[in-house]
Amino acid sequence: EAGAGLSVGQARRLALARTLLSPGAIVVLDEPTNGLDRDTELAFFLNLAQAALGRTVVLITHADLPDGVVRSALRLVDGRLDRVLFTEGQAVKKGDIVALVDSRPFEIQLHTGEAALFRDEAQLRNAKLNLERYTQLRAQNLIPQQQVDDQKTTVDQLEAATRTDKAQMESAQLNINYAHITSPIDGVTGIRQV
């Protein structure tokens, strides 16, 4: 009958069981609990660590994971799996790219951060020049101290903004790097569910 009489959830559970019982050293699970009810999804995640003992599992999911399910997690809010670059039974070496996630949203974030940094650095240069001018005018008692203090605060705020821009750019670059999923070990790939 080839599974023709199975519900979506039953077919998914069967595919997950086959995958987890396969001998591959690396298992890629893409949205493995899609179509399962919440109780079954939680039971699957809680038993995943035991079922995958001794193997590397790449788990791609939008589901909220219970504590203790994964040793390390990379969270990609935006992105879709573009390509899987291995076939079942293929030998892979540590560092080989096994999958690619669409990195365009992260590239846009990087370019947006670059533009924000350029803008904030220009405003910071101008604010520093004004602070120098105001300090000189204050020394001549031509403006109130409050105006100098306000300008100093503006400089501090813009310095903080440039640091934030740099951090956002670093985060976007990190996500671009994470979009290239690599094999963590030498091994033979198992069944993929993509």
Side-chain angles (χ1 to χ4, degrees), residues 84 87 141 146 186:
V84 175
T87 56
N141 211 21
Q146 180 66 44
D186 293 345

Side-chain angles (χ1 to χ4, degrees), residues 41 51 100 107 122 165 188 190:
E41 177 183 72
L100 295 173
E107 291 166 5
D165 296 337
V188 177

Side-chain angles (χ1 to χ4, degrees), residues 76-141:
L76 302 178
V77 177
D78 296 317
R80 64 181 162 85
L81 187 61
D82 268 351
R83 293 191 339 215
V84 175
L85 303 173
F86 69 89
T87 56
E88 180 182 344
Q90 175 184 339
V92 293
K93 300 251 184 250
K94 181 177 182 176
D96 284 354
I97 297 175
V98 294
L100 295 173
V101 173
D102 183 6
S103 63
R104 291 176 298 173
F106 310 122
E107 291 166 5
I108 291 168
Q109 290 173 351
L110 178 61
H111 297 317
T112 301
E114 290 168 343
L117 179 62
F118 185 77
R119 177 200 62 218
D120 291 339
E121 285 178 337
Q123 290 177 346
L124 177 60
R125 283 191 302 275
N126 186 54
K128 285 181 176 180
L129 287 174
N130 284 338
L131 179 58
E132 287 177 28
R133 291 181 189 122
Y134 292 171
T135 301
Q136 291 171 3
L137 291 172
R138 177 64 193 143
Q140 298 170 15
N141 211 21

Side-chain angles (χ1 to χ4, degrees), residues 48-70:
L48 179 61
Q50 182 63 33
L53 219 86
R55 297 191 288 175
T56 298
V57 176
V58 177
L59 177 62
I60 303 165
T61 184
H62 288 92
D64 292 327
L65 299 175
D67 291 338
V69 171
V70 294

Side-chain angles (χ1 to χ4, degrees), residues 134-185:
Y134 292 171
T135 301
Q136 291 171 3
L137 291 172
R138 177 64 193 143
Q140 298 170 15
N141 211 21
L142 296 174
I143 61 171
Q145 181 63 40
Q146 180 66 44
Q147 195 168 352
V148 175
D149 295 343
D150 289 346
Q151 191 60 31
K152 172 68 173 124
T153 299
T154 299
V155 168
D156 291 344
Q157 289 171 343
L158 289 168
E159 284 177 345
T162 60
R163 288 186 190 122
T164 300
D165 296 337
K166 290 175 185 176
Q168 288 173 343
M169 289 168 50
E170 290 172 9
S171 176
Q173 185 61 59
L174 186 62
N175 285 333
I176 290 169
N177 295 343
Y178 285 159
H180 296 81
I181 301 170
T182 59
S183 174
I185 59 170

